[in-house]
Amino acid sequence: MTQAQAGTTARDALGIAADVRAGRRTAVSVVTGVIADIEARDTRYNSVTRIFGPAAVARAEQLDQRIARGEDPGVLAGVPFGVKDLFDIAGEVTTAGSIVLRGNPPAQHDATVVARLQAQGAIAVASLNMDEFAYGFSTENAHTGVTRNPHDPACLAGGSSGGSAAAVAAGLMPFALGSDTNGSIRLPAALCGVWGLKPTFGRVPRDGAYPFAASLDVVGPMADSIGDLRAVFEVMDGRSLGTLPDVASLRVARLGGWFARNISADFTAAIDAVMAHLNSTKVIELPEAARARAASFLITASEGGNLHLPRLRQRAMQYDPATRSRLMAGAMLPSATLVQAQRFRNWFRARIHELFSHHDVLVAPATVGPAPRIDQPTIVVEGREVSARANLGLFTQPISLAGVPVLSTPLAHPSGLPLGLQLIGAPGAEAALFAVAGELQRAGLARCTPLTTGD
């Protein structure tokens, strides 16, 4: 089954918007078609946790009425999308993937980025599965179940924004929102073969998104095409990227060392082809990447644990057991350990920012390999078997510490399962990443992988 055959809805957000704006389709027909498609097909993937049916249809009706009156419906008119279940949706309870929050009152307002998207005509149709409180790399949730990879439902979708990546990869919706603390957009985007963006820390407002580790959290989009990803990001950001830089003028380098080990010969060859097309043979080292990963892990554990400590003292047994143990361990970390991690973070951030005085874009793998099977507890790292769930973020965690933007770019793999690259830029340099990603797509080196399984 090809991507074009993978569902009853169009996969092109900008194409949907053009049709709706021109009157070739109504927003109601698009939204009701998407909802029907989710109900018919998502039992295979478990990417969706709730459908906002009546509210979504009502918003679509209002949009069609605006178009009939000759009003501008926005650049994303009638485009359905989903949100990781930690974004506020007015009238819905934000659960962050946990039963712990199900008794909370409904949100009074949409999260800021959701409001911006809906102001431009996009329509939120569903909340999407995630690791509880965004603490995980696999989207295996004791409350809502595991999200399965659309390319092989026996495999993981990655996490913690696995529902978002799987919904886009399955063709259930053209784009979805996720959050990224240590790789939670980049990793599932890579494993599911879609495009994903972790923006510069602090660039995109995260008001109305349930926090995990406030000093690392960002929110961003995933999409089925680089054009859609850019359009959605510009709405979320509130400004246009403008004219992208000429790729030939960009200084591109490949990260070696930590980022060159533990990947297959096929993956290495795919990255070789990318670098050859970009006319770059430069390989550089990112100093102390292993320590950066450790520091990111410690900061995340401490901030997350302390955020949840009051509730853990009262309602610990309501948490997913895997999440509970990690949060409790983080809450008990000595303050001296966190101070050391933060000191190292400042040093490391300065080092990676120095690299951007000589380079515009850095290239690194996003994953160790294709998605592991759900029943596969380990992967091989440094010649030994280690926990797959704990180590899927091997290449994403170090980069998180610097707060720089990263665009997850899908690559095909001989196994039929996707892989992904991280295109890494200086703070605020998302335009350079989109320029390189667009060039790799035009050259056929970066592309969303067609589904190989039927429904």
Side-chain angles (χ1 to χ4, degrees), residues 33-417:
V34 164
I35 291 173
D37 199 31
I38 292 170
E39 292 173 338
R41 297 199 298 124
D42 192 53
T43 53
R44 185 174 178 84
Y45 312 120
N46 192 35
S47 67
V48 173
T49 55
R50 280 176 292 170
I51 297 174
F52 310 137
V57 171
R59 185 175 287 274
E61 290 173 343
Q62 293 168 2
L63 190 99
D64 287 335
Q65 292 167 7
R66 289 176 57 198
I67 293 172
R69 293 194 297 267
E71 299 175 13
D72 183 357
V75 297
L76 296 174
V79 179
F81 71 101
V83 300
K84 185 177 183 176
D85 193 21
L86 53 67
F87 288 89
D88 286 349
I89 299 291
E92 298 286 339
V93 177
T94 306
T95 69
S98 179
I99 64 172
V100 177
L101 302 183
R102 286 184 184 173
N104 284 3
Q108 296 295 305
H109 308 283
D110 291 336
T112 298
V113 291
V114 172
R116 287 180 177 181
L117 289 164
Q118 298 206 127
Q120 287 297 323
I123 299 172
V125 296
S127 66
L128 304 171
N129 205 11
M130 59 181 286
D131 290 284
E132 186 185 45
F133 292 116
Y135 206 165
F137 284 130
S138 59
T139 310
E140 294 173 287
N141 188 307
H143 313 302
T144 54
V146 60
T147 292
R148 297 175 177 272
N149 195 312
H151 298 279
D152 183 348
C155 293
L156 293 171
S160 63
S161 308
S164 301
V168 172
L172 298 175
M173 55 196 67
F175 78 90
L177 302 188
S179 66
D180 192 308
T181 304
N182 278 309
S184 288
I185 288 173
R186 291 163 285 162
L187 180 66
L191 295 182
C192 290
V194 300
W195 303 87
L197 179 68
K198 170 194 173 295
T200 302
F201 178 80
R203 176 166 182 166
V204 175
R206 58 189 188 192
D207 308 75
Y210 197 89
F212 175 21
S215 71
L216 292 168
D217 293 346
V218 298
V219 298
M222 301 184 201
D224 195 55
S225 74
I226 191 64
D228 286 353
L229 190 77
R230 175 180 175 176
V232 172
F233 169 65
E234 289 180 333
V235 172
M236 294 173 69
D237 188 39
R239 52 188 161 171
S240 171
L241 289 173
T243 302
L244 300 183
D246 180 3
V247 174
S249 70
L250 296 175
R251 302 163 298 174
V252 182
R254 178 179 182 170
L255 293 182
W258 176 267
F259 298 93
R261 300 194 297 269
N262 302 305
I263 62 175
S264 68
D266 289 335
F267 199 172
T268 300
I271 301 175
D272 288 343
V274 165
M275 299 306 294
H277 183 77
L278 297 174
N279 196 30
S280 173
T281 59
K282 185 77 170 179
V283 179
I284 62 173
E285 292 281 342
L286 182 58
E288 299 283 9
R291 287 184 68 193
R293 183 189 180 213
S296 185
F297 174 84
L298 290 169
I299 292 168
T300 300
S302 178
E303 291 189 13
N306 280 279
L307 174 68
H308 286 272
L309 185 56
R311 193 179 292 117
L312 283 166
R313 286 173 170 154
Q314 297 178 345
R315 305 169 63 185
M317 299 312 295
Q318 292 184 332
Y319 281 73
D320 182 322
T323 308
R324 179 176 64 237
S325 61
R326 290 192 291 262
L327 289 172
M328 292 178 72
M332 292 186 288
L333 281 172
S335 59
T337 299
L338 181 60
V339 169
Q340 290 173 349
Q342 293 286 15
R343 284 175 177 167
F344 174 80
R345 177 186 191 170
N346 291 335
W347 177 88
F348 181 78
R349 184 189 291 119
R351 301 291 80 74
I352 196 169
H353 289 186
E354 284 175 2
L355 293 178
F356 289 113
S357 63
H358 305 287
H359 310 284
D360 299 304
V361 176
L362 306 177
V363 177
T367 63
V368 175
R373 291 179 58 88
I374 293 170
D375 61 2
Q376 177 185 340
T378 62
I379 57 175
V380 176
V381 174
E382 305 287 63
R384 60 189 180 92
E385 290 193 353
V386 299
S387 167
R389 276 67 171 173
N391 289 278
L392 287 173
L394 192 73
F395 298 138
T396 58
Q397 285 171 297
I399 307 301
S400 296
L401 207 60
V404 295
V406 188
L407 202 159
S408 185
T409 302
L411 299 177
H413 187 264
S415 72
L417 291 172

